[in-house]
Structures are given as C-alpha cells and as structure tokens.
Amino acid sequence: MKIDTTLNPLPVLTWNWLRMNKAAFSEETEYATKPATLETSDLPAGVTFTSGEASQVQEAAQIKGALGKEFDALLDEKASQAQEAAKNQNSSQAKEAAAPFALLELPAGFKSQAPIFIRAGLQDGAASFQRLFVKAGDNVEATIIIEWTSEKSAKGLNAFQTKIAAGNNCKIRVSTVQLLGAGFVHLNDIGCAAGENSSIEIAQLELGAQKIYQGIRSALSQARSSFVHNAAYCLDKDRELDMNFIAEQTGRERPRSRP
C-alpha cells in the first residue's frame, strides 16, 4: 500500500518559507486494510450506535474537517473498497463490526449521567480507515470519550475522521485518547457544526504513535455557538506531530423586533 497525499492545508496561505501551508504525507507499507472494531460502553436509553445509512453519510460529508479534501478522498476510496469486500461476507454481524462509517445518535433532550465510551483496538500490521458521525438533537448534554489502543510495540496506520453535528442549546464534550504502539501512524480529523446557543468542547491526548497528523475545523455559523479546544501530547525521541485547528465564526445575532 502506498499513500501520497497532502494533509492539513491552511484555509488561507501564508509565507512559503514558514512551511506551514500544508503537510506532505507519504507512506508505503505492506499493512493489510482491516478496520478496527468499534466498541461502546453501555448506551443510555434512546442513544443508538449503528453503521448509518447513506443519507447520514451525506449529511456528515457536509461538515468539513481540517485534514483536507485529499484525506476525504482517501477515506471515500477505502469506504468503496470496504463495501465491495462486504458483499462477499456472509455474516451481517461481521459487516456491522467492521463498517467504515459509524453513527452515534443522541436524541433531543438527552442529558448524559456518565461519559459514553467508544473504543477501538488496533492490530499489529493493520491499516484502519474509519468515520464516526456524532449527531445530537436539540437540548443535548453529553460527554463522549474516543480511545485508540494497541500493543506497545505494534505498527500500523490509523486514519479516523469524526464529524459532530450539535443541534440548538447543546453542550457536547468529546475527548480523544490515543495510546497506539510506537510504530503507528495516526491521522485524526475532526469536523464540528454547532447550532444556536450550543458549545462543542474537544480535548485531545496524544500519548502514542510514531507520527501524528491531527486537525479540527469548527463551523460556528449560528448565534452564540462556541468551540473550546485543549490538547496535550508527548513527543519524545523522534516522534512527529502536525496540527491544524480552524474555527470559522460566521454566526450573528438575530435583530430584535421592535415593540
């Protein structure tokens, strides 16, 4: 498998000599494509976790991430390949477990009493390409923790994209914890869209992997929508990290009607 692509392009170009406009990514491996199985904690009543339908795939695609169009195209290609491979599988349970697109849906009015965990255990020598869509209705308060793990000495490639759509009057907190082996390459793309009077808070903890490319794009297109981001990482020895965080603030207050 050989991947040559561009990641984390800036929305507005800056001076070339700064070398910040984009990241060139090239990886040639013999890894077998095998999506990690996503497992959740016990889900509260009304919350669902499924492989999603075509309409939800299209809805998630409307929310932009930060790793860029070429990363989207890579995931599209791998999703098409996975669909073709699934046609040859007899077990519907196997198809569900390894689906490249997952949907976590939080109904309107849902208030979480405890965090919802989504865990992915990756195997040595595997390349995983997956997408997660977190869709929250109006008046939702929830905490979601996404965790990637593998053996400490494992090598592989993990390309993961999360899209978050929050309705009105929501408070969504998402934490990502990356504990992959020392030989992994980790590509982590997040796109957010916050409704009116809604906040999306993201905390990222990068403790594993050899190379890390992460990006977040947050669309604040409604009145009083907000975004908060915190990140912590460990870069010992020759480990590498490339980051790209974008917040698009276009929301406006509605003019008040006169009495």
Side-chain angles (χ1 to χ4, degrees):
M1 177 191 304
K2 182 173 178 59
I3 301 174
D4 286 302
T5 188
T6 297
L7 301 175
N8 280 339
L10 291 185
V12 179
L13 298 181
T14 185
W15 298 103
N16 286 334
W17 60 269
L18 292 175
R19 292 184 293 180
M20 294 176 59
N21 287 323
K22 59 186 177 181
F25 177 78
S26 180
E27 191 78 12
E28 186 169 6
T29 69
E30 297 180 357
Y31 301 144
T33 300
K34 186 174 183 180
T37 300
L38 301 182
E39 298 180 347
T40 69
S41 54
D42 292 337
L43 296 178
V47 176
T48 59
F49 186 73
T50 65
S51 59
E53 302 293 336
S55 59
Q56 282 123 6
V57 174
Q58 293 299 319
E59 184 178 355
Q62 300 306 309
I63 303 173
K64 294 181 180 180
L67 258 63
K69 294 180 179 179
E70 293 188 23
F71 183 69
D72 289 337
L74 174 63
L75 293 183
D76 288 341
E77 177 188 351
K78 297 302 179 181
S80 297
Q81 293 175 358
Q83 290 173 357
E84 288 298 320
K87 293 179 181 179
N88 300 322
Q89 293 183 342
N90 296 323
S91 170
S92 60
Q93 185 176 2
K95 296 177 186 179
E96 183 81 10
F101 180 89
L103 170 68
L104 178 67
E105 195 159 12
L106 311 173
F110 172 74
K111 311 288 184 183
S112 66
Q113 300 299 317
I116 297 172
F117 284 86
I118 300 176
R119 298 184 176 94
L122 284 91
Q123 299 181 8
D124 185 28
S128 177
F129 303 87
Q130 289 178 310
R131 282 175 162 137
L132 170 66
F133 183 27
V134 178
K135 184 178 180 180
D138 294 339
N139 306 301
V140 169
E141 293 184 13
T143 298
I144 301 158
I145 299 176
I146 305 170
E147 182 182 85
W148 301 279
T149 61
S150 74
E151 295 294 332
K152 289 184 178 180
S153 59
K155 298 180 180 180
L157 173 67
N158 182 42
F160 200 95
Q161 185 178 68
T162 305
K163 299 292 184 68
I164 304 167
N168 298 327
N169 305 305
C170 290
K171 187 170 185 179
I172 307 297
R173 297 171 292 270
V174 176
S175 297
T176 66
V177 183
Q178 186 265 113
L179 299 168
L180 294 173
F184 259 89
V185 175
H186 180 59
L187 312 178
N188 183 19
D189 188 36
I190 299 177
C192 310
E196 186 172 325
N197 198 38
S198 288
S199 68
I200 296 176
E201 301 177 12
I202 295 178
Q204 295 180 295
L205 185 60
E206 302 283 356
L207 296 179
Q210 170 65 31
K211 297 179 181 179
I212 305 162
Y213 297 82
Q214 62 171 247
I216 302 176
R217 181 187 293 265
S218 183
L220 307 177
S221 60
Q222 304 298 322
R224 298 179 303 282
S225 56
S226 64
F227 170 71
V228 177
H229 175 251
N230 291 287
Y233 50 86
C234 179
L235 293 178
D236 56 345
K237 300 180 181 178
D238 58 348
R239 296 169 62 196
E240 300 175 10
L241 170 64
D242 190 271
M243 301 182 292
N244 186 27
F245 304 132
I246 304 166
E248 299 175 332
Q249 298 175 294
T250 59
R252 295 184 179 182
E253 285 285 357
R254 298 176 182 175
R256 296 181 180 181
S257 58
R258 297 181 179 179

